[in-house]
Amino acid sequence: MPNNKPTPVTMDAVYTAPGYLFRRMQQIAVALFIEECKAFDLTPVQYAALVTISTHPGIDATRLSAVIAFDRSTLGNVIERLQAKEFIVRKPAPEDKRVKLLYLTKAGAAVLSDIMPSVDKAQARMLQPLKPADRKTLLALLTQLVDLNNEASRVPLRAEDALEHLGRSG
Amino acid sequence: MPNNKPTPVTMDAVYTAPGYLFRRMQQIAVALFIEECKAFDLTPVQYAALVTISTHPGIDATRLSAVIAFDRSTLGNVIERLQAKEFIVRKPAPEDKRVKLLYLTKAGAAVLSDIMPSVDKAQARMLQPLKPADRKTLLALLTQLVDLNNEASRVPLRAEDALEHLGRSG
DNA sequence: ATTTAATTGACAGTATACTGACAATATGGC
DNA sequence: GCCATATTGTCAGTATACTGTCAATTAAAT
């Protein structure tokens, strides 16, 4: 005969779900970043954008979005804020009137090099509670998992594709 | 003599940062949840709130926030949306005019029991790419890490404290 | 009991995220 | 060259998150 007992719902339906744990860790990661970097007025997303513009001067917003796997719509606002803080400039591309190319300003390069130690400290702090060997294991598995799930996100990482048009034949 | 070479910034400053990886996994987790559960019109946060109200009928918003470690301000809007969908009701507490107690409606209980298999499928899918042993390892380390970093988040998990006032002496 | 503290829900402001749409512009097929 | 298609940046709408504030209310201090 069928089992008609309703499955009892417990908080384990939340606490043991990997999605819940990833959400918690993301919140913790942001909190630690903000705390360590509060002197620099940069968010984690803004930091990632700055790094990418630094390593790919003249990148445009769409390619930037692909290189860090952030949503293109969201990135518009991020870029505006970085521009308002005068950490980057936008220049129209001469050969394509739709495109605006992104470059670091001197202030942007300065803040990026200044913030690095604090970013590193924040990244170290969030893994600190684990034993060193466990940190390595977690980081390796996490890197694998993100990579293997790349296509599942709305904006998959496309670092190679995005670079094809930059600094080469064109 | 001092080393004046500027540290070359590479994309590793982003790609290997645990904070970046947690952000990516969180986005992937949400995308998979939404995809698997699109028939139910529930977000991951709304699901967690529903589960908690189901296991703690009569909980108030502040304690709900502590039990799932979500921001209290944010939760106000979440509760409003759940109420608009008629999955929960809010009743004023007789002994404290500030408090509004939360209860599942029949529709809320139904959607919760209906959505469970899809939630489980989404949770399984995000770990699927890993070998079974690696899934266990990752989940164990992640659970540890969230727990050990509990105080670092703005809204630490306070499941026990939050329960003290419910269904007991009062 | 009256002043003081803390709590609760609400709100305003900022910052990610995603969906879907749009105009301007480029590019391809023909 | 023209037309269908694709790309780029932008915008409106919704949903988390966090900061800080506030009025109403309750609890604590004395």
Side-chain angles (χ1 to χ4, degrees), chain B residues 23 27 62-63 72-73 90 98 100:
Chain B
R23 177 182 297 271
Q27 288 175 350
T62 296
R63 250 145 295 279
R72 222 180 41 165
S73 298
R90 271 197 281 199
R98 295 168 305 179
K100 297 178 183 176

Side-chain angles (χ1 to χ4, degrees), chain B residues 5 10 19 32 36 45 51-52 55 66-67 87 90 97 106 109 115-116 126 137 142 147 155 160 163 166:
Chain B
K5 270 190 300 186
T10 71
L32 290 175
E36 288 291 343
V45 169
V51 167
T52 309
T55 61
V67 171
F87 290 156
R90 271 197 281 199
K97 290 176 192 168
K106 281 221 174 76
I115 202 179
M116 285 285 191
M126 68 187 73
T137 305
L142 193 55
D147 185 50
V155 187
E160 304 315 315
L163 289 175
L166 292 171

Side-chain angles (χ1 to χ4, degrees), chain A residues 62-75 149-158, chain B residues 20 24 27-28 31:
Chain A
T62 296
R63 251 145 294 280
L64 174 57
S65 144
V67 170
I68 50 182
F70 289 169
D71 188 83
R72 221 182 41 166
S73 299
T74 307
L75 219 47
N149 272 317
N150 192 35
E151 299 306 317
S153 61
R154 187 190 178 202
V155 187
L157 188 70
R158 300 246 184 266
Chain B
Y20 174 76
R24 288 278 290 136
Q27 288 175 350
I28 289 164

Side-chain angles (χ1 to χ4, degrees), chain A:
Chain A
M1 62 186 173
N3 173 7
N4 284 329
K5 270 189 300 184
T7 309
V9 178
T10 72
M11 285 307 294
D12 271 7
V14 173
Y15 292 155
T16 67
Y20 175 77
L21 296 168
F22 286 128
R23 176 182 298 271
R24 287 279 291 139
M25 265 320 293
Q26 209 267 322
Q27 287 175 350
I28 289 164
V30 172
L32 290 175
F33 183 104
I34 297 295
E35 190 183 321
E36 287 292 343
C37 304
K38 57 175 174 291
F40 299 97
D41 188 31
L42 271 188
T43 66
V45 169
Q46 290 167 13
Y47 163 78
L50 266 198
V51 167
T52 309
I53 297 171
S54 166
T55 60
H56 306 88
I59 197 173
D60 63 90
T62 296
R63 251 145 294 280
L64 174 57
S65 144
V67 170
I68 50 182
F70 289 169
D71 188 83
R72 221 182 41 166
S73 299
T74 307
L75 219 47
N77 303 323
V78 176
I79 287 170
E80 254 176 39
R81 280 171 217 122
L82 286 175
Q83 198 175 16
K85 294 175 189 174
E86 304 195 351
F87 290 155
I88 65 172
V89 288
R90 270 196 282 197
K91 298 183 186 175
E95 78 286 0
D96 189 334
K97 290 177 192 168
R98 295 168 305 178
V99 174
K100 297 177 183 176
L101 307 177
L102 304 171
Y103 298 92
L104 284 198
T105 60
K106 282 221 175 76
V111 80
L112 185 53
S113 101
D114 288 351
I115 202 179
M116 286 285 192
S118 301
V119 172
D120 291 345
K121 216 177 295 178
Q123 301 305 311
R125 264 184 74 190
M126 69 188 73
L127 298 186
Q128 199 73 37
L130 293 182
K131 284 178 294 188
D134 285 348
R135 285 175 219 160
K136 275 198 177 176
T137 305
L138 176 64
L139 208 48
L141 290 175
L142 193 55
T143 303
Q144 260 187 71
L145 194 58
V146 165
D147 185 52
L148 295 169
N149 272 317
N150 192 35
E151 299 306 317
S153 61
R154 187 190 178 202
V155 187
L157 188 70
R158 300 246 184 266
E160 304 314 313
D161 298 13
L163 288 176
E164 265 169 29
H165 305 280
L166 292 173
R168 313 193 194 178
S169 53

